[in-house]
């Protein structure tokens, strides 16, 4: 008789999933033309929150699992077609569990068409002890389109023993539809770099990056953007992106709460400049 191990004793190789979302402009507003969401990702029904900007569709991206696990490879493709306006945000932060030997990877591909607006704002990833997450983003943005990306993380040890995550990596590559390279932004931070007094985050526990790709006339004032985020208790510094592509800002928060408030403030300043009107609050 051959004895087989019970299913729960077999190491799980992790998930590889493929999700796609396509927004189009039709009937005077933005609609979802196509969608395919693989587990664990899920989207809510669409909301039109902005009376002053009735064409802007808001979607909440949710996770049906307990977070990101070792070996997870999640692919998310987003296309915003010509003239459409999409605001995609997360319902809450995503927990990133111990990466073991494989880590977790989030692949994001964005295609923003002529005259389109795409905002993709994730609540900070919560990096548990041993977490190893890589967020890899490739974006194609038309000359007169707008792409607003905000991604960040916060550190958390549930048992309070001072343990930290393993690594957090980000890669961003922005091109024009013809392949012309605009921006490359790569970063990598090891958890051990936070431990010395005044470490990589200056003793803080949360950080985020805002990337705004837009024509010059649709960019906010850097000084206003920095002051607005700083008023939320964050440190913030912005500069122009290369090739006249837009601007980039780094944000540091004392904790997840202050970082989220800073990210939300940055979204509203950047969104108002890009759309020409104040945007409504995105409630969680």
């Amino acid at each position: 008789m051959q004895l087989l191990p019970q299913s729960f004793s077999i190491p799980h190789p992790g998930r590889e999933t493929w999700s796609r979302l396509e927004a189009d402009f039709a009937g005077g507003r933005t609609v979802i033309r196509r969608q395919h969401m693989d587990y664990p990702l899920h989207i809510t029904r669409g909301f039109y929150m902005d009376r002053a900007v009735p064409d802007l569709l808001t979607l909440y991206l949710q996770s049906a699992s307990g977070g990101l696990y070792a070996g997870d490879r999640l692919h998310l493709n987003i296309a915003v077609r010509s003239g459409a306006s999409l605001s995609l945000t997360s319902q809450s932060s995503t927990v990133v569990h111990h990466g073991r030997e494989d880590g977790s990877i989030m692949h994001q591909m964005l295609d923003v068409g002529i005259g389109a607006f795409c905002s993709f704002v994730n609540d900070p990833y919560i990096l548990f002890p041993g977490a190893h997450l890589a967020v890899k983003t490739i974006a194609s943005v038309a000359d007169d389109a707008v792409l607003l990306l905000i991604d960040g993380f916060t550190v958390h040890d549930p048992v309070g023993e001072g343990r930290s995550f393993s690594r957090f990596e980000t890669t961003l590559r922005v091109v024009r539809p013809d392949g012309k390279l605009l921006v490359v932004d790569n970063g990598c931070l090891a958890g051990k770099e936070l431990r010395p007094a005044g470490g990589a985050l200056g003793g803080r526990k949360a950080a985020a990056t805002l990337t705004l790709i837009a024509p010059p006339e649709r960019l906010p004032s850097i000084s206003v953007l920095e002051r607005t985020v700083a008023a939320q208790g964050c440190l913030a510094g912005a500069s122009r992106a290369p090739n006249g592509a837009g601007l980039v800002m780094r944000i540091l928060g004392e904790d997840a709460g202050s970082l989220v408030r800073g990210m939300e403030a940055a979204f509203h300043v950047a969104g108002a400049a890009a759309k020409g009107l104040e945007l409504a609050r995105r409630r969680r």
Side-chain angles (χ1 to χ4, degrees):
M1 177 183 296
Q2 183 180 11
L3 297 178
L4 298 176
Q6 295 181 349
S7 61
F8 59 76
S9 67
I10 300 174
H12 196 283
R15 301 167 290 196
E16 182 158 15
T17 67
W18 300 83
S19 299
R20 180 171 178 81
L21 185 65
E22 183 178 334
D24 207 345
F25 185 76
R29 63 180 186 174
T30 301
V31 297
I32 297 303
R33 183 69 67 188
R34 296 180 181 84
Q35 64 166 302
H36 172 79
M37 306 301 290
D38 263 356
Y39 179 86
L41 297 182
H42 171 74
I43 57 170
T44 64
R45 69 176 180 87
F47 296 92
Y48 297 93
M49 297 180 169
D50 302 271
R51 293 183 179 179
V53 194
D55 63 313
L56 179 57
L57 172 66
T58 296
L59 291 175
Y60 288 88
L61 183 65
Q62 301 173 322
S63 174
S65 70
L68 291 171
Y69 296 88
D72 281 354
R73 305 290 185 265
L74 275 59
H75 301 257
L76 176 61
N77 292 357
I78 301 170
V80 184
R81 300 306 182 195
S82 298
S85 294
L86 175 67
S87 173
L88 183 64
T89 187
S90 52
Q91 184 188 38
S92 61
S93 294
T94 299
V95 172
V96 185
H97 297 275
H98 198 297
R100 310 303 175 190
E101 296 180 358
D102 297 320
S104 311
I105 302 177
M106 186 73 195
H107 295 271
Q108 301 172 162
M109 295 193 67
L110 310 172
D111 183 3
V112 188
I114 296 170
F117 171 88
C118 177
S119 169
F120 189 13
V121 181
N122 276 310
D123 282 299
Y125 293 100
I126 303 176
L127 303 182
F128 273 31
H132 180 181
L133 173 63
V135 181
K136 302 183 177 183
T137 306
I138 299 175
S140 171
V141 185
D143 290 2
D144 62 347
V146 174
L147 172 63
L148 172 59
L149 286 175
I150 310 180
D151 248 328
F153 72 90
T154 185
V155 182
H156 181 62
D157 181 1
V159 298
E161 295 181 348
R163 299 173 300 166
S164 191
F165 64 97
S166 175
R167 293 173 73 85
F168 180 74
E169 305 171 43
T170 60
T171 62
L172 171 63
R173 182 180 177 89
V174 183
V175 299
R176 291 299 187 202
D178 63 2
K180 178 185 176 182
L181 180 63
L182 292 180
V183 176
V184 174
D185 188 6
N186 298 331
C188 181
L189 181 66
K192 63 183 180 182
E193 296 178 64
L194 307 187
R195 294 171 187 163
L201 300 185
R204 293 168 175 79
K205 296 182 179 180
T209 295
L210 175 149
T211 305
L212 178 59
I213 307 299
E217 67 274 11
R218 300 179 73 179
L219 296 175
S221 161
I222 285 181
S223 60
V224 171
L225 182 61
E226 290 176 338
R227 286 199 305 269
T228 304
V229 175
Q232 307 304 314
C234 298
L235 289 179
S239 61
R240 298 294 179 187
N243 300 307
L247 61 83
V248 177
M249 183 170 70
R250 311 294 189 194
I251 307 172
L252 293 181
E254 291 289 344
D255 52 28
S258 64
L259 183 66
V260 168
R261 291 191 296 272
M263 291 168 63
E264 183 175 358
F267 164 78
H268 283 285
V269 172
K275 294 295 289 181
L277 293 165
E278 294 290 334
L279 300 182
R281 181 183 177 189
R282 268 61 182 159
R283 297 183 180 275
R284 301 298 195 267

